[in-house]
Amino acid sequence: MSIFVNNIGNLAQRLQNEFENTSSELHHPGVKGSIREDILKEVLRDIIPSRYEFGSGIVVDALDSQSKQQDFILYDAFTSPSFLKRQTEVIIPVESVYATIEVKSTLDKRTLEQSVQNVRSVKSL
């Protein structure tokens, strides 16, 4: 168990260092957010089995209901149809989604409320 804890600690430190080194001088929030999302994807790829894939996009259900845009969608890449896949933007059926993640460089009341609404839009499917 100690190896696992050490590994998670090392990954967290790596994330922190890369966030600071790569995006500390950037002022545009969209670019900074995209870079941080990419860094997180790289780190998570080291611990998530290759069967799973990450993408940004929306989640849909059989009734054509759609979620709000999701920063990260973790889905089963081996068995999931993707209705649209462009580089990292995807439309994925809700049955294939294991998790969604919101990535925020700063957290305030407005961004927290937005994140909660994004989560609700997926859970409602």
Side-chain angles (χ1 to χ4, degrees), residues 60-66:
V60 297
D61 68 11
L63 302 174
D64 289 331
S65 297
Q66 300 178 7

Side-chain angles (χ1 to χ4, degrees), residues 4 20-21 42 51-52 54-55 63 66 68 70-71 73 78 81 88 92 102 115 125:
F4 177 75
E20 290 172 3
N21 294 336
E42 289 173 17
R51 169 186 189 118
Y52 304 102
F54 295 106
L63 302 174
Q66 300 178 7
K68 295 179 182 253
Q70 303 296 307
D71 293 339
I73 303 170
F78 287 176
T88 59
I92 297 293
E102 287 294 307
S115 295
L125 301 176

Side-chain angles (χ1 to χ4, degrees), residues 3-104:
I3 292 173
F4 177 75
V5 171
N6 285 337
N7 191 35
I8 295 298
N10 291 338
L11 289 174
Q13 187 62 51
R14 179 177 155 201
L15 270 175
Q16 182 68 33
N17 291 340
E18 290 195 39
F19 280 1
E20 290 172 3
N21 294 336
T22 307
S23 62
S24 63
E25 297 299 318
L26 297 174
H27 302 292
H28 188 278
V31 172
K32 183 183 279 193
S34 292
I35 288 172
R36 288 182 171 181
E37 287 174 22
D38 289 343
I39 292 168
L40 181 59
K41 284 178 190 171
E42 289 173 17
V43 169
L44 289 177
R45 286 201 194 285
D46 290 344
I47 60 173
I48 300 292
S50 61
R51 169 186 189 118
Y52 304 102
E53 184 63 57
F54 295 106
S56 298
I58 60 173
V59 179
V60 297
D61 68 11
L63 302 174
D64 289 331
S65 297
Q66 300 178 7
S67 71
K68 295 179 182 253
Q69 194 276 340
Q70 303 296 307
D71 293 339
F72 267 75
I73 303 170
L74 176 64
Y75 62 96
D76 187 329
F78 287 176
T79 62
S80 173
S82 56
F83 300 126
L84 172 70
K85 187 172 186 177
R86 300 281 187 264
Q87 302 267 326
T88 59
E89 296 295 321
V90 295
I91 299 174
I92 297 293
V94 69
E95 295 84 3
S96 300
V97 174
Y98 287 93
T100 62
I101 303 170
E102 287 294 307
V103 178
K104 302 296 178 203

